[in-house]
């Protein structure tokens, strides 16, 4: 007994299976070990973008302020918004039509529109179109024969023109009466061509004759037949050559096959770059450039000086830069910007009904009011 475990072919098969393994080739990204620095430039940029794109933080100030702001119902902006809502309202736009539908209408039978509609209906009516035909049907009598009626004669003529049988009638009569002369040139050419391609005249049987057994040409034919015989060709192989043992190791074909396998070997063709021996000089230009780039892109070295200085430097609170920064913060502050308005809302205000702004707002409201706009129309409705 012999177990092939550990043999050269078994190891080659294992290595080939590892190379073409789909499971090892398509690894999930979660299985790859990777760790990113939290203070690296991409991570800081991603955190900043996440903060900027956060919808909750974007609306946080508005959510806090919208519960504290109170707007009076008679503000010009609210009145204008209500007026615009009335102007673009579909219900208000169709209200007059709906009211007219509820009231109904009076349309007389002899109105011009009713008469025009009836005339159009009579013209387009299929019943009216066939009314005269139905009256005349069955009353066309008095013709002694079919030929006396011009309409029926016309219909028969049209039917003959459209009939396929009438169209082929003359052809059917004459197609069997066609005669071709025997001496016609095309007929003679066809006969000659038929005789040329005929198999009967092509094959002429050789006459039968007797030949002596010792004739020279007969002996020569037998010798040539024996030479060409497949049985005589294989007699040496079948008699003693067949079944003789032979080991092909070291033969020309085996060596050619081994060389071709080495050329086509996938394992030798796809070698990992780590197997190639390569050493780079530490003082070469590429290595120096890589070191310089690594030092330039190092985030820790970039902020190292600032990390050391920010714990040692103390800035006085009354320096011009600090005061300017505080003033800019106050200027850009949304809370300080709305502080006066908030205080005014808390104190309330006294606005008399006869103030100029109130009078102007009421006049604008009356002008823009859809109800006032349609009051005269509703009064005159039904009086014309």
């Amino acid at each position: 007994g012999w177990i092939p475990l550990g043999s050269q072919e078994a190891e080659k098969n294992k290595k080939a299976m590892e190379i073409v393994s789909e499971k090892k080739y398509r690894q999930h990204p979660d299985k790859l070990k990777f760790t990113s620095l939290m203070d690296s430039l991409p991570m800081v940029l991603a955190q900043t973008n996440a903060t900027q794109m956060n919808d909750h933080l974007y609306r946080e100030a508005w959510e806090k302020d919208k519960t504290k702001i109170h707007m009076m119902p008679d503000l010009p902006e609210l009145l204008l918004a209500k007026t615009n809502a009335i102007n673009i309202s579909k219900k208000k736009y169709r209200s007059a039509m709906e009211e007219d539908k509820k009231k109904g209408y009076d349309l007389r039978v002899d109105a011009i529109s009713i008469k025009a509609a009836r005339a159009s209906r009579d013209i387009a009516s299929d019943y009216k179109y066939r009314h005269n035909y139905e009256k005349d049907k069955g009353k066309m009598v008095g013709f002694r024969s079919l030929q006396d009626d011009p309409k029926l004669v016309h219909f028969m003529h049209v039917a003959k023109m459209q009939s396929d049988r009438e169209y082929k009638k003359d052809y059917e009569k004459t197609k069997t009466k066609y005669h071709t002369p025997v001496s016609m040139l095309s007929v003679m050419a066809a006969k000659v061509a038929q005789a040329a391609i005929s198999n009967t005249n092509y094959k002429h049987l050789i006459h039968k004759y007797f030949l002596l057994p010792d004739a020279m040409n007969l002996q020569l034919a037998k010798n040539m037949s024996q030479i060409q015989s497949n049985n005589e060709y294989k007699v040496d192989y079948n008699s003693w050559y067949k079944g003789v043992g032979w080991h092909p190791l070291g033969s020309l074909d085996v060596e050619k096959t081994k060389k071709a396998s080495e050329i086509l070997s996938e394992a030798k063709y796809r070698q990992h770059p780590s197997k190639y021996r390569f050493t780079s000089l530490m003082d070469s230009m590429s290595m120096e450039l890589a070191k310089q780039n690594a030092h330039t892109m190092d985030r820790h070295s970039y902020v190292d000086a600032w990390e050391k200085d920010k714990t040692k430097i103390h800035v006085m609170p009354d320096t011009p830069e600090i005061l300017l920064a505080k003033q800019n913060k106050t200027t850009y502050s949304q809370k300080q910007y709305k502080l006066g308005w908030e205080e005014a809302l808390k104190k309330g205000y006294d606005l008399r009904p006869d103030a100029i702004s109130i009078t102007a707002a009421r006049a604008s409201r009356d002008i823009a009011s859809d109800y006032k706009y349609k009051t005269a129309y509703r009064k005159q409705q039904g009086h014309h």
Side-chain angles (χ1 to χ4, degrees), residues 1 4 23 72 87 106 124 144 146 152-153 159 304 332 342 372:
K23 185 176 180 182
M72 301 303 293
N87 289 336
D106 181 18
R144 290 178 298 177
L146 187 66
L152 294 179
V153 172
D304 189 22
Y332 281 101
E342 298 290 340
K372 293 288 184 181

Side-chain angles (χ1 to χ4, degrees), residues 325-364:
K326 290 181 179 180
Q327 187 63 34
N328 291 337
K329 181 180 179 182
T330 306
T331 304
Y332 281 101
S333 174
Q334 196 74 8
K335 185 175 181 181
Q336 295 291 335
Y337 178 71
K338 295 182 179 180
L339 183 60
W341 170 250
E342 298 290 340
E343 295 293 335
L345 288 178
K346 293 178 181 179
K347 293 178 180 179
Y349 58 90
D350 182 18
L351 192 60
R352 296 183 180 181
D354 55 350
I356 297 174
S357 57
I358 299 297
T359 306
R362 286 179 180 174
S364 301

Side-chain angles (χ1 to χ4, degrees), residues 20 49 89 91 99 124 152 204 225 271 279:
V20 300
N49 292 338
S89 173
K91 185 176 180 182
E99 294 294 334
L152 294 179
H204 297 282
S225 178
Q271 293 186 9
T279 304

Side-chain angles (χ1 to χ4, degrees), residues 277-288:
R277 296 179 180 179
F278 176 75
T279 304
S280 179
L281 299 176
M282 298 303 294
D283 56 348
S284 61
M285 183 179 292
S286 57
M287 292 297 292
E288 292 294 335

Side-chain angles (χ1 to χ4, degrees), residues 251-352:
S251 62
L252 180 61
D253 291 337
V254 173
E255 295 297 329
K256 286 168 62 177
T257 306
K258 287 183 179 180
K259 193 64 177 177
S261 300
E262 291 178 2
I263 294 172
L264 299 175
S265 176
E266 189 75 12
K268 293 184 178 180
Y269 177 70
R270 299 183 182 275
Q271 293 186 9
H272 199 271
S274 60
K275 295 182 179 180
Y276 293 103
R277 296 179 180 179
F278 176 75
T279 304
S280 179
L281 299 176
M282 298 303 294
D283 56 348
S284 61
M285 183 179 292
S286 57
M287 292 297 292
E288 292 294 335
L289 181 61
K291 290 179 181 179
Q292 188 65 29
N293 291 337
H295 182 71
T296 304
M297 297 297 294
D298 189 8
R299 176 73 180 178
H300 182 71
S301 300
Y302 179 71
V303 298
D304 189 22
W306 163 245
E307 294 293 338
K308 292 179 179 178
D309 293 341
K310 72 178 182 181
T311 57
K312 300 177 181 179
I313 298 174
H314 178 66
V315 182
M316 300 302 293
D318 55 349
T319 56
E321 290 80 3
I322 299 298
L323 296 177
L324 180 59
K326 290 181 179 180
Q327 187 63 34
N328 291 337
K329 181 180 179 182
T330 306
T331 304
Y332 281 101
S333 174
Q334 196 74 8
K335 185 175 181 181
Q336 295 291 335
Y337 178 71
K338 295 182 179 180
L339 183 60
W341 170 250
E342 298 290 340
E343 295 293 335
L345 288 178
K346 293 178 181 179
K347 293 178 180 179
Y349 58 90
D350 182 18
L351 192 60
R352 296 183 180 181

Side-chain angles (χ1 to χ4, degrees), residues 116-128:
R118 285 180 179 175
S120 301
R121 182 193 63 185
D122 294 340
I123 292 170
S125 174
D126 186 68
Y127 174 76
K128 292 290 183 181

